[in-house]
Amino acid sequence: MPKKVQLEPHLSVQELYTRYRTSSGLVERSHYQIIWLLASGHTPLAVSQVTGYSRIWIYQLLRRYNQLGAGALSDRRSSNRGQPPQLNDLTG
């Protein structure tokens, strides 16, 4: 039997669908699609096959959504500054 997931009711299935269809950012759009599909009753395996994302990532996104709500589905790459440079300044 495929595993069903537990979603916190931050947004309704219809609201998730609406945000999925109206999101302008590609990352945010795919995140809403994943959560909408899960909320619609699809299994993580089925969502993985439809979206191309791994089940590990789907479970991570689900955990973030359950803990933080809809704000967790935004594109968070802009706030990631990355590691500090590994090389010293060689000028002078």
Side-chain angles (χ1 to χ4, degrees):
M1 176 63 85
K3 184 176 181 182
K4 292 273 189 163
V5 295
Q6 188 69 28
L7 273 153
E8 294 295 325
H10 297 294
L11 298 171
S12 69
V13 175
Q14 183 59 42
E15 182 64 25
L16 288 167
Y17 177 75
T18 301
R19 290 188 185 197
Y20 156 56
R21 298 301 291 170
T22 59
S23 291
S24 58
L26 297 177
V27 172
E28 184 175 303
R29 180 182 172 101
S30 65
H31 290 178
Y32 274 111
Q33 180 188 24
I34 289 168
I35 299 300
W36 167 65
L37 289 170
L38 292 171
S40 299
H42 296 280
T43 65
L45 177 60
V47 174
S48 174
Q49 292 170 342
V50 169
T51 62
Y53 285 92
S54 73
R55 283 189 292 164
I56 292 170
W57 172 244
I58 291 169
Y59 279 112
Q60 288 175 348
L61 187 62
L62 171 65
R63 191 171 15 262
R64 256 185 17 208
Y65 175 74
N66 280 342
Q67 291 173 351
L68 304 173
L73 303 180
S74 64
D75 186 356
R76 297 165 36 163
R77 294 179 298 176
S78 63
S79 63
N80 183 357
R81 297 184 64 188
Q83 290 186 340
Q86 300 294 315
L87 299 175
N88 294 333
D89 186 16
L90 299 177
T91 59

